[in-house]
Amino acid sequence: MTNNRPSGFANPWIQLGLNIICVVLYELLLKAGARATADPSKSWSWIGITGLASPLIWLAIVVIILDLVIWLYVLKYIPLSIAFPLSRLVDVLVPISCWLILKEGISSLRWCGIALVIIGLAIVAKPAARLEERL
Amino acid sequence: MTWWSLVLILVWLGTFVAGQLFFKRAMESSGVAGFRNRQTISILSIGILLMTVSFFLNLGLLQRFDLSYLYPFQGLSVIIVTLMAAIILKEKLTWRLTIGTLLITAGVVLVSMS
C-alpha cells in the first residue's frame, strides 16, 4: 500500500465508523419506505421501482450516495477482506438501537448472535490493527 | 418462498458482491492511475451499475419479506465478499480473518433467526 494514511477526520478507520452509521440510517429508512409503498399485487413491482413513491426512499438514496463516497474512500486504504467484515458491525447496532430507542425486546438467542458477531469482529480487528502498524 | 424469489435473492447477493469487488478494483486503479483515468472511471461505473441493480432488487424483496427474513442472506454476503476478495483480488486471507468472518456470519444468521 503506497498511500500515506491521512490523520484526523480523514483517517480511514474513522470514515469506516461513519460508513457504519450511514448504513444503519439507510437500512431503517429503506424498510420504512418499502413498508409504506408495498403493493405485491403488481407483478412488476418485484424490481422495487414502486418504492420511489416514498420520500423516505429518496432520503435513503441521498444517504446511500453519501455512504458510497465514504466507502470508496475507505476501500482506498483498507483491504476489502478486512473492511467489509468490520462494516457488518451494523448487524449488531441495528438490533441494539431498536432495543435502546424503540424498547423492543431482544431474546436470549438473539443476544447470543450479537455476542458471536462481536467476538468475530474482535478477531477480525486484530489483523486490521496489524495492518495499521504497517501503514 | 417461490423459486422466483430465490432467484431474485441470489441475483441481489451476486450483484452486491460483484459491485464491492469492482469498487475495490476501481480504488486500486485510482491509486495507480488517478481518478480521471478512463480505466478507473469504467470500473467504478460498472460497480455503481451493479450496486444500483442490487439496490432495487433489495427494495423489491423488502416489499415482500420482513427485514428479519432477508437478513440471514445479507449475513452470508460477509463470507462471500471475504472469500472473493481473497480469490479474485488476491488479498491475504489469514486463519484469524477466516474464523472471525465465520463467527460474524453465524452471529448475523442467529440474530435474524431469533
Side-chain angles (χ1 to χ4, degrees), chain B residues 9-10 15 29 52 79 111:
Chain B
I9 288 172
L10 289 177
T15 47
S29 168
T52 309
I79 198 85
V111 163

Side-chain angles (χ1 to χ4, degrees), chain B residues 15-92:
Chain B
T15 47
F16 179 80
V17 171
Q20 291 293 351
L21 296 173
F22 273 95
F23 281 165
K24 181 66 192 175
R25 267 280 154 83
M27 294 326 280
E28 277 170 1
S29 168
S30 83
V32 179
F35 246 112
R36 266 179 244 160
N37 177 274
R38 219 159 124 200
Q39 195 194 344
T40 307
I41 292 172
S42 30
I43 298 174
L44 190 61
S45 307
I46 296 170
I48 291 174
L49 186 74
L50 285 166
M51 281 310 204
T52 309
V53 172
S54 171
F55 170 78
F56 280 109
L57 278 175
N58 189 9
L59 216 52
L61 288 164
L62 275 176
Q63 287 178 336
R64 276 168 188 75
F65 303 109
D66 278 339
L67 190 56
S68 57
Y69 174 80
L70 293 171
Y71 238 87
F73 296 102
Q74 211 155 330
L76 286 179
S77 69
V78 180
I79 198 85
I80 302 172
V81 166
T82 307
L83 213 62
M84 288 298 154
I87 296 170
I88 296 172
L89 302 178
K90 310 267 183 274
E91 283 182 10
K92 218 175 129 205

Side-chain angles (χ1 to χ4, degrees), chain A residues 7-105:
Chain A
S7 58
F9 187 67
N11 183 304
W13 301 103
I14 290 178
Q15 295 297 318
L16 184 59
L18 264 182
N19 157 69
I20 290 166
I21 294 168
C22 284
V23 175
V24 172
L25 196 62
Y26 80 64
E27 286 279 2
L28 295 173
L29 284 170
L30 279 182
K31 180 57 193 168
R35 190 186 286 151
T37 54
D39 184 6
S41 62
K42 294 194 181 85
S43 58
W44 45 268
S45 70
W46 270 112
I47 52 169
I49 204 91
T50 50
L52 291 177
S54 165
L56 289 173
I57 298 289
W58 286 100
L59 189 59
I61 290 173
V62 173
V63 180
I64 287 171
I65 291 170
L66 177 71
D67 177 64
L68 174 68
V69 176
I70 297 173
W71 180 243
L72 287 174
Y73 180 81
V74 168
L75 286 186
K76 199 169 161 71
Y77 297 99
I78 307 176
L80 184 61
S81 56
I82 287 176
F84 192 77
L86 287 182
S87 75
R88 295 328 290 173
L89 182 63
V90 288
D91 301 324
V92 171
L93 290 182
V94 170
I96 287 183
S97 54
C98 289
W99 176 62
L100 285 176
I101 301 163
L102 306 175
K103 308 285 175 218
E104 285 180 8

